[in-house]
């Protein structure tokens, strides 16, 4: 496979799966996607939610509610763009 064919395949992968990012993806955006993927997995997987509920001494539904609330902003607010990043855009 040539260099251009590989580039085309990676572009298709990035377009198909939002969480994979691209060259312009910031660290904060990538971390937010990773945290949201993890939290959504915990909400969807009953045995994992039960495990966490037992460990924290909470009900399974309370754990799911907490995870859903954390999905809104899992890494905190987006950091302000630095002066160098603002000049690039």
């Amino acid at each position: 496979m040539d260099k251009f064919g590989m580039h085309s395949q990676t572009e298709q992968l990035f377009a198909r799966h939002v969480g994979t990012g691209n060259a312009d993806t910031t660290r904060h955006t990538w971390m937010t996607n990773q945290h949201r993927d993890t939290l959504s997995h915990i909400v969807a997987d009953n045995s994992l939610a039960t495990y966490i509920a037992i460990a924290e001494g909470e009900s399974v539904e309370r754990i799911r509610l907490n995870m859903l609330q954390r999905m809104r902003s899992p890494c905190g607010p987006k950091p302000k763009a630095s002066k160098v990043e603002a000049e690039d855009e």
Side-chain angles (χ1 to χ4, degrees), residues 11 14 18 20-30 33 78 85 88-89:
E11 289 298 320
F14 291 152
V18 177
T20 55
N22 58 26
D24 298 327
T25 302
T26 63
R27 183 174 191 265
H28 182 266
T29 303
W30 187 82
N33 286 337
K78 189 173 183 177
E85 290 175 359
D88 289 341
E89 295 176 356

Side-chain angles (χ1 to χ4, degrees), residues 37-46 48-49 52 63-64 67:
D37 287 349
T38 301
L39 293 170
S40 66
H41 180 70
I42 291 170
V43 169
D45 189 355
N46 190 40
L48 186 55
I52 293 171
I63 294 299
R64 285 195 172 116
M67 297 300 164

Side-chain angles (χ1 to χ4, degrees), residues 4 15-16 39 42 50 54 56-57 64 73 83:
F4 298 111
R16 189 179 312 141
L39 293 170
I42 291 170
T50 303
I54 291 169
E56 293 187 4
R64 285 195 172 116
S73 183
K83 197 173 194 179

